[in-house]
Amino acid sequence: MENSQLPRLALLLDRKGLSSYPAFRDAYGQTAQQLADRGSTPARPVTCVDERTFRRWTGGCLKSVPRDKRVRAVLEAMFPGWSLRELFAVVPSRDSGTESGKGNAETVPSFECGVGDDIMAAADESARFAVATEATNVGPHTMEQMFADIRRIVHNYPNRPVSVQFNEIRYLRDRAFRLLEGRQPPEYTRSLYLAAGLLCGVLANASFDLSQYTAAETQARTAFLCGELAGHNGLRAWVRGLQALIAYWAGRPREAVELSDSGLCYTPEGGTAHIRLASIKARALGQLNRATDALTALDEADSMRQNVTREDDLTGGMMAFPPGKQLYCASSTYLWLGGDRYLADAERRADEAVTWFGRLPEHERRTGEECLARLDLALARLHLGHVDGAADQVHRVLESTARRKVESVRQRLEQFSRALNCHPAATSPIAVGLNEAVIAQQRLLRVLPPGEAS
């Protein structure tokens, strides 16, 4: 069919670079979603047009214009100044931009042979660039939904089996990556990098909880890169804390200290990321038996807590660092330092942490973190000679780990088992029964695939 016989809609779509069905489908869907977000139509607009309909619209085969008012609203929003009847009118291509003052940025330029041809061609190229630059695959609704999903995930993470959530987190991360491959305004690009960084951070944490250290470190590096591209200090500081935590549990305390110091160089927009870094640093310094530096780091964390102006600058949930986590980090630090001087402090801080977690509503319980606090309390009581008190805490942990497998809790149980075997009361009936229960639980967790301990 000759160009002169095409409907004006086909010519305008070609002008906007939307002559292919996929390009039109995406632009139409984006416009429909924007109308829905603004509430600009009495009924929710039709957000998708099938390819057959698109071919009929652009091929000049229609005997009448579409009757659906929702379709009309979207098409007229895509081409301001043109009515639906005008869009479907069959016109010569040179008339498409000259009728009754309709020659605006949305119209198709006419090309006359002669000296002005190159000038008009150059102008058309610039206009095409402007249209492509204005196009976006992301709108406010998309970003609102993305961050709503992230908040839901990070709030549910602490009390749900890790592997059950893994694929959903991965799906959302992939969606953020795909959107970043498209075109959007700079502010949306930064928001997408922040979203991708948060999701990579959660995947890093999940990989670590499932004992996959290498994968966790790779995810964390990508999360940090996204924080750099987003220019978000809160995310950068949080990821450095996660990297320090992985190094600490991997038996690399010096690296954990270095990563914590690196994270402390970023001043977060608000929240608790710095308290977390100082607390992780204190534990690593305690493991290195650097008592003075470890106690200084604990004091810094306490001071930062007093100056928190906003509890969280990311998404809350697993990414927040509440007082309970700070308390058991302190108890772990005192346990590493050991000796009568620090064991009482370790017991006191761990007991405060357990009490803090116990006050949370059932739907907000942080299972893994509460288990770590209970194991710190058990170790402190064991070293102080209170085997019965230690056994009570460990049995509570064993009940919880049967529902949710976490790598740091598994390691801490092994540490407790070794300490129990070296204790003077190791041969007592309570100690023997407790040790057998720990061994049985560890054996069960090793043979179950990820996610089965739920």
Side-chain angles (χ1 to χ4, degrees):
M1 184 175 289
E2 299 291 335
N3 279 349
S4 59
Q5 298 176 344
L6 290 175
R8 182 178 283 111
L9 175 65
L11 302 174
L12 294 175
L13 287 172
D14 182 67
R15 167 69 178 79
K16 290 171 70 81
L18 302 175
S19 56
S20 69
Y21 172 67
F24 168 79
R25 178 194 60 207
D26 293 345
Y28 181 95
Q30 181 68 34
T31 304
Q33 189 61 65
Q34 290 172 353
L35 290 176
D37 291 342
R38 294 197 300 264
S40 303
T41 56
R44 185 171 182 85
V46 177
T47 57
C48 184
V49 173
D50 61 61
E51 187 169 4
R52 182 180 178 184
T53 300
F54 169 73
R55 299 299 177 198
R56 292 173 59 233
W57 284 359
T58 57
C61 301
L62 289 181
K63 295 181 179 179
S64 62
V65 300
R67 296 180 181 180
D68 194 323
K69 294 181 179 180
R70 298 173 300 169
V71 170
R72 182 180 67 187
V74 177
L75 290 174
E76 291 181 352
M78 290 178 70
F79 303 100
W82 296 105
S83 70
L84 191 68
R85 189 168 298 280
E86 289 171 327
L87 288 172
F88 283 93
V90 176
V91 295
S93 61
R94 65 176 179 272
D95 292 339
S96 62
T98 58
E99 292 185 11
S100 60
K102 297 283 176 50
N104 53 39
E106 300 291 343
T107 63
V108 180
S110 61
F111 293 95
E112 302 293 341
C113 295
V115 69
D117 188 43
D118 287 343
I119 297 173
M120 291 302 295
D124 182 58
E125 290 163 0
S126 295
R128 285 177 182 271
F129 170 79
V131 169
T133 301
E134 283 186 334
T136 176
N137 63 335
V138 178
H141 175 80
T142 302
M143 294 311 308
E144 181 181 350
Q145 186 61 53
M146 175 78 69
F147 280 100
D149 288 337
I150 292 173
R151 283 192 295 272
R152 173 177 52 79
I153 284 170
V154 299
H155 280 273
N156 289 341
Y157 185 92
N159 52 23
R160 291 186 62 205
V162 177
S163 61
V164 171
Q165 306 174 78
F166 192 92
N167 285 333
E168 182 186 5
I169 303 165
R170 183 182 182 183
Y171 169 81
L172 282 174
R173 181 213 57 183
D174 290 348
R175 184 160 184 260
F177 284 171
R178 284 195 302 271
L179 290 172
L180 280 166
E181 291 172 355
R183 187 186 297 276
Q184 61 278 147
E187 62 270 22
Y188 286 147
T189 300
R190 287 191 293 271
S191 293
L192 283 172
Y193 275 123
L194 175 59
L198 292 169
L199 290 164
C200 285
V202 179
L203 285 175
N205 205 115
S207 299
F208 165 70
D209 282 342
L210 295 172
S211 309
Q212 301 297 317
Y213 285 79
T214 301
E217 290 172 337
T218 298
Q219 295 282 7
R221 283 191 289 270
T222 303
F224 186 82
L225 172 63
C226 289
E228 293 268 82
L229 294 170
H232 199 283
N233 281 347
L235 178 57
R236 284 185 277 204
W238 187 87
V239 174
R240 279 291 186 251
L242 178 60
Q243 291 173 313
L245 200 64
I246 294 169
Y248 168 80
W249 286 107
R252 306 192 303 266
R254 287 183 177 82
E255 183 180 339
V257 173
E258 292 170 1
L259 287 164
S260 298
D261 284 336
S262 174
L264 288 165
C265 294
Y266 298 99
T267 302
E269 292 76 3
T272 57
H274 269 190
I275 306 173
R276 178 171 176 259
L277 283 162
S279 298
I280 295 169
K281 179 181 176 180
R283 279 204 294 188
L285 288 167
Q287 188 175 4
L288 293 169
N289 201 30
R290 291 167 53 181
T292 301
D293 293 335
L295 295 175
T296 298
L298 289 180
D299 289 341
E300 290 173 353
D302 288 338
S303 177
M304 292 175 188
R305 176 67 67 182
Q306 294 173 6
N307 296 322
V308 169
T309 55
R310 195 168 78 238
E311 185 66 18
D312 176 57
D313 62 318
L314 289 170
T315 52
M318 62 166 287
M319 291 187 162
F321 192 74
K325 294 182 74 170
Q326 184 179 352
L327 286 165
Y328 81 68
C329 280
S331 67
S332 295
T333 303
Y334 288 125
L335 283 170
W336 280 117
L337 297 178
D340 294 339
R341 178 181 175 183
Y342 299 115
L343 283 176
D345 288 328
E347 183 184 27
R348 176 174 55 83
R349 291 292 186 102
D351 191 42
E352 290 173 358
V354 169
T355 301
W356 188 91
F357 285 116
R359 291 182 181 140
L360 293 176
E362 188 64 30
H363 66 281
E364 295 181 14
R365 297 299 289 269
R366 305 169 76 99
T367 307
E369 296 158 11
E370 183 175 347
C371 286
L372 290 172
R374 289 189 180 281
L375 287 170
D376 275 2
L377 182 55
L379 273 168
R381 287 179 174 173
L382 180 67
H383 290 311
L384 290 169
H386 308 311
V387 180
D388 290 354
D392 177 61
Q393 297 301 318
V394 173
H395 281 301
R396 289 173 181 264
V397 170
L398 294 178
E399 292 174 5
S400 296
T401 54
R403 297 189 298 271
R404 190 174 189 272
K405 179 181 178 181
V406 176
E407 167 65 9
S408 52
V409 176
R410 183 194 66 79
Q411 280 200 34
R412 208 72 173 121
L413 274 169
E414 288 187 351
Q415 291 172 4
F416 178 85
S417 186
R418 290 194 295 270
L420 182 61
N421 287 331
C422 297
H423 196 271
T427 57
S428 68
I430 292 177
V432 170
L434 181 59
N435 198 36
E436 289 177 351
V438 171
I439 292 171
Q441 182 80 337
Q442 296 289 67
R443 187 182 298 116
L444 175 63
L445 293 178
R446 280 194 292 270
V447 300
L448 287 177
E452 291 300 316
S454 60

